[in-house]
Amino acid sequence: EVQLLESGGGLVQPGGSLRLSCAASGFTFTNYAMTWVRQAPGKGLEWVSAIDLSGGYTFYADSAKDRFIISRDNSKNTLYLQMNSLRAEDTAVYYCAKDRGGDDYAWSWGQGTLVTVSS
Amino acid sequence: NFMLTQPHSVSESPGKTVTISCTRSSGSIASTYVQWYQQRPGSSPTTVIYNSNHRPSGVPDRFSASIDSSSNSASLTISGLKTDDEADYYCQSYDGTNRVFGGGTKLTVL
């Protein structure tokens, strides 16, 4: 069974930084791209960033470019999201997701971690 | 870049059938796979359709999906509606290396 366990969320002041982690199990981590998706309170899903199988290629939504850094440690089956220069509008639940692998586009989702940016 | 547009809300009675559309603004809807996610209140999303028309194990065959190139849209159909189907539903596809979500549709079963 696929399990994705996010951690690292919390309350941070505007301009601050936070690092999210996502521990993956139940599948071959190195066979899948991984993604971060966020959901602001009462709003829809917004894709944030994705990373390829090896970690050599990273992709960002415009809202995350130049502020967020996605990475993965395949030896630890763990995905990360380093978030810098945080703004109030970054307040959201952040979900880690197993993205596509080969022709398998069946995403799996974690339970999410709440990030609140407020003074 | 393209957008995926969904109706904001739909409602239907238990036992009936409902269809939720997802229209792609530019480019062909058939050019990349479409996924559908269900999100019940207070829960994380789960996949109900992947690769445009495949169901993960555990998703009942009451859930089906299709692609209509003439309207450039994807559709999720839920038959035999149950109150447990009440949730938000999101379509998702790929724009090159970017992932694109529809705005979500709130399904009310009453």
Side-chain angles (χ1 to χ4, degrees):
Chain A
E1 180 194 1
V2 173
Q3 291 199 342
L4 299 165
L5 186 62
E6 301 96 334
S7 60
L11 174 63
V12 61
Q13 292 188 340
S17 298
L18 214 52
R19 188 196 199 199
L20 306 183
S21 300
C22 171
S25 62
F27 65 102
T28 303
F29 189 66
T30 52
N31 284 356
Y32 290 86
M34 297 295 293
T35 275
W36 288 99
V37 174
R38 70 184 183 185
Q39 187 170 36
K43 302 296 184 183
L45 301 175
E46 178 191 11
W47 173 70
V48 174
S49 182
I51 189 167
D52 76 336
L53 282 62
S54 66
Y57 292 93
T58 57
F59 315 102
Y60 298 93
D62 287 344
S63 58
K65 270 177 197 168
D66 301 324
R67 298 189 302 129
F68 294 2
I69 300 172
I70 190 172
S71 61
R72 64 191 293 165
D73 185 336
N74 286 346
S75 68
K76 296 181 178 178
N77 285 2
T78 301
L79 175 72
Y80 302 100
L81 185 68
Q82 176 68 43
M83 303 187 295
N84 302 320
S85 303
L86 283 162
R87 308 163 179 162
E89 53 265 36
D90 295 318
T91 294
V93 174
Y94 284 72
Y95 295 103
C96 159
K98 176 182 78 67
D99 200 305
R100 62 187 175 189
D103 203 37
D104 174 8
Y105 286 66
W107 286 29
S108 297
W109 298 74
Q111 87 291 343
T113 187
L114 176 62
V115 172
T116 303
V117 184
S118 174
S119 55
Chain B
N1 293 358
F2 64 86
M3 295 193 306
L4 297 173
T5 301
Q6 301 180 233
H8 184 257
S9 63
V10 295
S11 61
E12 190 50 271
S13 302
K16 300 292 189 180
T17 296
V18 71
T19 297
I20 298 171
S21 62
C22 170
T23 302
R24 178 167 166 160
S25 60
S26 61
S28 171
I29 188 71
S31 63
T32 55
Y33 286 131
V34 177
Q35 281 60 241
W36 289 91
Y37 306 109
Q38 176 192 68
Q39 187 179 33
R40 295 190 175 100
S43 297
S44 57
T46 61
T47 301
V48 291
I49 294 288
Y50 69 99
N51 291 34
S52 297
N53 58 9
H54 289 71
R55 282 187 312 276
S57 60
V59 174
D61 60 7
R62 300 185 297 105
F63 289 79
S64 63
S66 61
I67 299 291
D68 181 358
S69 295
S70 65
S71 59
N72 212 34
S73 64
S75 293
L76 173 70
T77 298
I78 311 171
S79 60
L81 277 169
K82 302 178 183 296
T83 54
D84 192 46
D85 297 329
E86 190 161 288
D88 293 325
Y89 291 85
Y90 296 89
C91 60
Q92 175 264 320
S93 191
Y94 290 80
D95 182 8
T97 55
N98 290 351
R99 285 71 172 150
V100 181
F101 283 94
T105 299
K106 181 176 180 60
L107 169 62
T108 301
V109 182
L110 39 65

